[in-house]
Amino acid sequence: MLEQNDNNDNDEEEDISQLFTMLLSDSGDENGDTKTKVGHSTPGQPKLDHHYITSINTTLLTRQLPSQGLSFQLWPAATTLVTLLDDHRRNPNKSPLSPALRSRSSDGPDLPPLTILELGSGTGLLGIAAAVTLGANVTVTDLPHVIPNLQFNVDANAEALAVNGGTVKVASLSWGEAGDVELIGREFDVIIGSDVVYHDHLYEPLLQTLYLLLGGRGKTTSFVMAHLRRWKKESSFFKKAKKVFDMEVLYEDTPCNGSRLGVVVYRFTGKEKWNLNVVSATNKAG
């Protein structure tokens, strides 16, 4: 999750942060599967969270730093995707993520591990969970000032990664920066993200980065995005995205804790006929 620094956005972040803390205070499904227990701390102090992954009988540890901003906190959509990854590990044939993951599998002895890129990683829980449940080689990314806490969380789960397979690499990536994409590379099997559609001034940079990663690759690479809708303005992101990507809904979460809407998981793929003129027009229209 990315930030901006003006006063209005700081107020907005504080309101959303309080809501998310309530939503995540003790999340899990009725069967006792993937469960997140958010640590409690005094204001301004770190929170250490524990996330139990049933399919591999492993608990992941992440540190939140609420006083540092939204990029340092766990968002609801991330826990939804972590649960789906856990379920996919146990029963891939019934997993809603199968359309995005079916072309490659880390379970086959003759196939190389999946390569996954996470955008706007924040605490890194989603990317770490993808590595341990899929045996994947994952690159987690965010803005430079988020990297130290992201690296802390990756290091905190070194044993879980070693036992279950998979690797996690930490890298800086600013959306809209072609140079950052070139440094990281474009050859990923799957791109993932959770709650990355938030500040409207970041819609265009995010789309530009997705153009660079998915452009001209047809259905060979998917962007799997979990999103919890908050404002009508977010529809402009999806309207622009549909001009250059094929989109489908993979999963819809049941609303909880009095919310009207639940988390929705989308799959983006490049259109079969990739039209650079449409991409340019979309950029100018932003």
Side-chain angles (χ1 to χ4, degrees):
M1 176 60 203
L2 301 181
E3 303 175 309
Q4 67 182 33
N5 297 317
D6 60 50
N7 292 333
N8 289 336
D9 287 320
N10 287 338
D11 292 340
E12 202 172 62
E13 287 189 1
E14 184 176 353
D15 292 340
I16 293 296
S17 177
Q18 292 173 355
L19 171 62
F20 287 176
T21 298
M22 291 187 289
L23 288 173
L24 289 167
S25 59
D26 191 7
S27 60
D29 63 30
E30 295 177 352
N31 298 318
D33 295 334
T34 307
K35 196 172 185 68
T36 293
K37 290 188 178 295
V38 176
H40 298 284
S41 66
T42 57
Q45 296 300 311
K47 292 182 179 180
L48 294 179
D49 307 329
H50 296 80
H51 318 273
Y52 180 64
I53 310 297
T54 304
S55 62
I56 55 175
N57 191 28
T58 296
T59 297
L60 301 179
L61 175 70
T62 57
R63 180 179 69 179
Q64 295 190 67
L65 301 174
S67 64
Q68 301 299 311
L70 290 178
S71 295
F72 297 84
Q73 299 181 60
L74 180 63
W75 287 50
T79 60
T80 292
L81 263 185
V82 169
T83 298
L84 291 177
L85 286 168
D86 192 5
D87 293 342
H88 182 87
R89 168 75 180 229
R90 287 179 291 179
N91 194 345
N93 292 329
K94 293 185 178 181
S95 168
L97 299 182
S98 289
L101 302 176
R102 70 160 63 102
S103 62
R104 297 285 300 278
S105 172
S106 59
D107 294 333
D110 299 324
L111 292 176
L114 281 167
T115 57
I116 298 176
L117 173 68
E118 184 185 8
L119 301 178
S121 299
T123 66
L125 172 63
L126 175 57
I128 296 167
V132 297
T133 57
L134 300 174
N137 294 328
V138 180
T139 300
V140 293
T141 66
D142 215 306
L143 292 174
H145 72 284
V146 183
I147 296 302
N149 191 59
L150 193 49
Q151 186 67 61
F152 175 93
N153 287 336
V154 171
D155 293 343
N157 293 284
E159 183 176 350
L161 288 162
V163 170
N164 295 287
T167 64
V168 180
K169 175 184 176 182
V170 178
S172 173
L173 191 156
S174 297
W175 299 343
E177 296 294 331
D180 285 3
V181 174
E182 289 302 315
L183 287 174
I184 291 173
R186 299 176 65 241
E187 300 304 314
F188 293 95
D189 299 309
V190 184
I191 302 162
I192 58 177
S194 60
D195 273 319
V196 291
V197 179
Y198 180 66
H199 290 310
D200 52 2
H201 80 288
L202 293 173
Y203 295 172
E204 201 62 49
L206 174 57
L207 286 169
Q208 290 168 1
T209 292
L210 291 174
Y211 299 152
L212 292 170
L213 292 167
L214 299 179
R217 303 191 65 183
K219 306 299 180 185
T220 61
T221 300
S222 298
F223 173 47
V224 178
M225 182 184 80
H227 177 67
L228 179 61
R229 183 177 178 182
R230 299 171 194 88
W231 298 290
K232 291 182 179 180
K233 66 182 181 181
E234 295 165 7
S235 62
S236 66
F237 170 85
F238 290 95
K239 182 178 180 180
K240 291 179 180 180
K242 287 178 181 178
K243 293 181 179 180
V244 286
F245 302 115
D246 288 325
M247 292 172 49
E248 62 177 312
V249 173
L250 298 180
Y251 175 80
E252 294 186 56
D253 219 349
T254 303
C256 63
N257 295 330
S259 299
R260 292 186 300 106
L261 300 172
V263 173
V264 179
V265 179
Y266 299 89
R267 180 193 183 198
F268 293 57
T269 53
K271 290 184 179 293
E272 292 297 336
K273 293 184 178 180
W274 186 255
N275 189 334
L276 292 178
N277 292 327
V278 173
V279 174
S280 299
T282 301
N283 286 340
K284 292 177 181 178

